[in-house]
Amino acid sequence: MPQSATFSITQTHHEESLQSYSPHWQGRRKDPMQKYQTVYGTEFKMYDYAVSIGEAIQNPHIYYYDNNFVAATNSWCKESYTNLWGDLTYNISVYPTSDHVEVTKTVYDPSPVGHKMPPYNVFSGFISNGDSYNSYATDPEDVNGYIDMDAYGYYFLTGFGSNLVFFPFDNYISNDAPSSMPIGRYWTARSGMSDRNHFGLSINEPMVWPQIYTSLVSYGYSVRCIEDE
């Protein structure tokens, strides 16, 4: 004869608050990392060698960088992959143009559901000549927005009326000492002009560089995703 019983399970509530900047991603890695923090018993570590994609996925708390100047120089990845974040039309020998905006979300994309990594020129409207390859602005008159040191970042016009979007100076992760100046770095989907470089936005006081292309993929930058239409 079947028997039944009723029992209760009590789960202990756990809440953890961390005072920190936003998470950072090494270029083309899926998982974020938080420097100088131990989260749920997992300690942030740095190792001076490159690994496979699989090993990187299994160890999201480890910052890998290959500094041997032989193979995957300054990259976390042993293999040469340039399209992990969805820029499937990337060609290392071709400079990007304004119509080079195709991004297809991949399994390695760090964005949440319904979003994806932005194209390389997504930040071009932040300065007056942002459509020009590798251009930057140091004159506040050329910046479509303004710096706010109280908020510790830049407010930029979005192109939709007078709406503004805020980008903080949340620094970045590297195997070098942290920058002493206010600085923020943000990745896009596109690889740079070598397989160890990647495109991104760089902001500091007083420079705004929407299409910096020499950023090493071993660096940990912030991510601002866009809607995946």
Side-chain angles (χ1 to χ4, degrees):
M1 181 177 179
Q3 295 182 339
S4 63
T6 301
F7 58 93
S8 300
I9 297 177
T10 302
Q11 291 182 306
T12 303
H13 172 73
H14 176 80
E15 183 174 309
E16 185 170 349
S17 178
L18 297 174
Q19 186 70 33
S20 180
Y21 294 118
S22 65
H24 295 81
W25 284 258
Q26 286 188 280
R28 307 169 200 158
R29 284 187 73 175
K30 183 175 181 65
D31 298 298
M33 54 186 62
Q34 197 70 280
K35 193 173 185 180
Y36 311 124
Q37 295 286 358
T38 298
V39 183
Y40 298 113
T42 304
E43 182 182 356
F44 177 88
K45 299 178 181 178
M46 282 189 170
Y47 290 157
D48 184 4
Y49 57 83
V51 296
S52 66
I53 294 178
E55 187 169 345
I57 291 174
Q58 294 174 35
N59 297 280
H61 61 291
I62 297 179
Y63 176 97
Y64 298 103
Y65 64 98
D66 184 357
N67 233 0
N68 63 14
F69 297 97
V70 177
T73 308
N74 285 299
S75 176
W76 59 267
C77 190
K78 289 193 298 185
E79 298 87 4
S80 178
Y81 293 109
T82 57
N83 59 2
L84 294 181
W85 278 355
D87 194 332
L88 304 182
T89 59
Y90 169 75
N91 186 329
I92 198 170
S93 63
V94 177
Y95 283 87
T97 59
S98 59
D99 59 351
H100 187 103
V101 294
E102 180 182 349
V103 175
T104 301
K105 186 168 185 177
T106 70
V107 68
Y108 302 105
D109 192 311
S111 309
V113 175
H115 296 76
K116 64 181 180 181
M117 288 296 295
Y120 85 96
N121 60 353
V122 69
F123 306 118
S124 60
F126 288 177
I127 63 175
S128 58
N129 62 337
D131 283 333
S132 300
Y133 172 70
N134 204 29
S135 58
Y136 58 89
T138 56
D139 188 336
E141 294 295 324
D142 295 325
V143 176
N144 296 324
Y146 61 93
I147 191 171
D148 186 335
M149 292 307 297
D150 290 332
Y152 206 62
Y154 271 94
Y155 286 95
F156 296 107
L157 289 168
T158 63
F160 297 95
S162 59
N163 294 335
L164 295 168
V165 60
F166 179 68
F167 281 74
F169 295 130
D170 59 356
N171 218 302
Y172 60 91
I173 301 176
S174 76
N175 56 301
D176 302 317
S179 172
S180 60
M181 74 169 97
I183 191 169
R185 297 282 179 87
Y186 297 85
W187 289 125
T188 68
R190 192 182 197 280
S191 296
M193 300 313 293
S194 78
D195 59 5
R196 64 187 178 93
N197 294 137
H198 207 87
F199 270 84
L201 164 73
S202 176
I203 56 174
N204 59 42
E205 187 186 15
M207 187 179 73
V208 177
W209 195 344
Q211 299 180 35
I212 184 170
Y213 70 99
T214 56
S215 298
L216 298 173
V217 294
S218 63
Y219 285 7
Y221 290 0
S222 298
V223 164
R224 284 288 183 94
C225 55
I226 60 173
E227 283 189 316
D228 188 6
E229 298 177 354

